[in-house]
Amino acid sequence: MYLKKLITFAVVICILIPGCKLFESSEPSIQDLLAAPEQIEIDGREYILETYLWRDFMPISPPDGQPLIALIWVTAIDSLTFPSSIDADRLWVINDELLWETEFSDENLPENPNREHQLEKIAREGPKWGPQIQVEVVVRVTDGENNTYLLRAADQWIDRTD
């Protein structure tokens, strides 16, 4: 009973005091995402983000096209084999003030021997933005010690397939 009154009191005080936050969001804001670096260093190696974004307008698609698909590569710029301890688990695509946040698909993409220096991920069922517009893309990268990094690719083009 005492705890319930204390929580109620804290909520009321927080409502009355501007800027008071009872619960701090752990998710990054759009400003945080836009400030993410375009290159990160993990264990002495440098990584960048590459993307291919598209919407399908093939004849079998709905008249307004299919939702956005995002294919991303976290790329080791030294071209050495990508470490298995590094992963990417979250994607944000920013279109001005609009934000698409998602996890990556669990589907297995075919292995490509020319891409052993890259981590490849795909996200589907995005918004119906564009095509032929530029957006910002950010991924959350994790290392073997559970450290997280935001990695951004600026001015990424949403393509149209017909």
Side-chain angles (χ1 to χ4, degrees):
M1 182 70 160
Y2 175 75
L3 183 59
K4 186 176 179 182
K5 285 183 181 181
L6 184 60
I7 291 172
T8 302
F9 177 73
V11 169
V12 169
I13 293 298
C14 238
I15 291 170
L16 296 175
I17 300 173
C20 177
K21 295 179 185 176
L22 277 180
F23 305 101
E24 188 71 38
S25 172
S26 62
E27 293 301 316
S29 67
I30 288 180
Q31 293 77 20
D32 293 336
L33 295 170
L34 292 173
E38 293 187 62
Q39 184 171 320
I40 58 174
E41 181 179 324
I42 303 173
D43 294 330
R45 295 180 68 193
E46 302 288 329
Y47 299 90
I48 59 170
L49 178 62
E50 298 178 272
T51 75
Y52 179 63
L53 310 171
W54 77 96
R55 294 204 35 231
D56 188 356
F57 288 85
M58 296 282 192
I60 60 171
S61 297
D64 65 342
Q66 296 289 345
L68 180 64
I69 299 172
L71 185 60
I72 67 98
W73 297 274
V74 177
T75 302
I77 61 175
D78 60 11
S79 296
L80 298 176
T81 301
F82 198 89
S84 61
S85 61
I86 296 177
D87 196 10
D89 65 354
R90 199 119 193 107
L91 169 77
W92 294 270
V93 179
I94 305 156
N95 177 11
D96 292 323
E97 296 298 316
L98 302 174
L99 179 68
W100 174 40
E101 177 182 356
T102 189
E103 295 177 351
F104 292 104
S105 167
D106 288 336
E107 65 191 271
N108 290 321
L109 300 170
E111 289 189 27
N112 182 337
N114 296 322
R115 294 190 178 269
E116 291 180 352
H117 65 295
Q118 296 176 311
L119 171 68
E120 184 176 47
K121 297 276 189 160
I122 192 166
R124 299 181 181 273
E125 298 302 321
K128 290 189 172 182
W129 296 336
Q132 271 85 39
I133 64 169
Q134 288 185 324
V135 294
E136 302 286 314
V137 179
V138 179
V139 297
R140 182 171 61 198
V141 177
T142 58
D143 66 15
E145 297 175 8
N146 289 324
N147 296 311
T148 60
Y149 309 81
L150 293 178
L151 180 59
R152 180 173 58 94
D155 302 324
Q156 300 301 290
W157 187 250
I158 296 179
D159 206 1
R160 173 190 175 110
T161 58
D162 292 300

